[in-house]
Amino acid sequence: MSELIAQLHSRHGLPLLTADNYDNFVYGNADVVLCFAGDPATFPESADLVVILPELLKAFRGLLQGALVDRSIERELQARYRFTGWPTLVFLRKGEYLGAITGLRDWPEYGREIALILAAEPSQPPGFDLDKVCGGHA
């Protein structure tokens, strides 16, 4: 884990979710945002998201509880929430899927997208877009 990503846990007090504490966190809080950072060496945008996430939590004034997903369970949860890029923020309400934001956004876009996600009813994650996953047809 990069030092910057570790700061989400050490400096900002965001829990690091593992297989042992994931269920307690997502079912024990109303609305949560999970940070899937991936490997910062492969996805350098993750470092930016680590700076942005604490500010997003402040902007939503306690409406969201944030956590960093440990790399040991990222792929399993990626399959569950069906996102195809890194980094990704996944939003849940009492453990049920609300939506996701993959990649980085401008600050106003985050505000709009998160407000829409939090206004939504829980649903199933979207299906995989095979063109995105596989790179289109041969």
Side-chain angles (χ1 to χ4, degrees), residues 1-97:
M1 177 183 316
S2 77
E3 179 59 34
L4 191 57
I5 290 174
Q7 285 183 22
L8 276 176
H9 179 65
S10 63
R11 184 174 173 200
H12 296 286
L14 293 168
L16 180 63
L17 301 183
T18 64
D20 293 333
N21 63 357
Y22 174 82
D23 285 343
N24 286 339
F25 181 81
V26 300
Y27 294 107
N29 290 290
D31 290 344
V32 302
V33 56
L34 306 178
C35 180
F36 290 82
D39 179 4
T42 305
F43 306 104
E45 309 84 35
S46 294
D48 294 329
L49 188 61
V50 168
V51 172
I52 293 166
L53 181 57
E55 296 304 315
L56 289 173
L57 293 171
K58 285 179 198 173
F60 281 85
R61 295 182 178 89
L63 294 175
L64 285 169
Q65 299 299 313
L68 177 64
V69 175
D70 188 70
R71 301 254 336 263
S72 65
I73 61 171
E74 274 187 330
R75 290 295 181 174
E76 173 189 343
L77 293 175
Q78 177 196 22
R80 181 185 302 177
Y81 300 125
R82 302 179 195 147
F83 61 88
T84 58
W86 304 86
T88 292
L89 297 174
V90 171
F91 298 82
L92 306 174
R93 177 168 295 134
K94 295 182 181 174
E96 294 187 76
Y97 182 84

Side-chain angles (χ1 to χ4, degrees), residues 52 55-56 59 105-112:
I52 293 166
E55 296 304 315
L56 289 173
R105 304 287 193 274
D106 291 330
W107 187 254
E109 289 179 75
Y110 276 118
R112 285 190 298 270

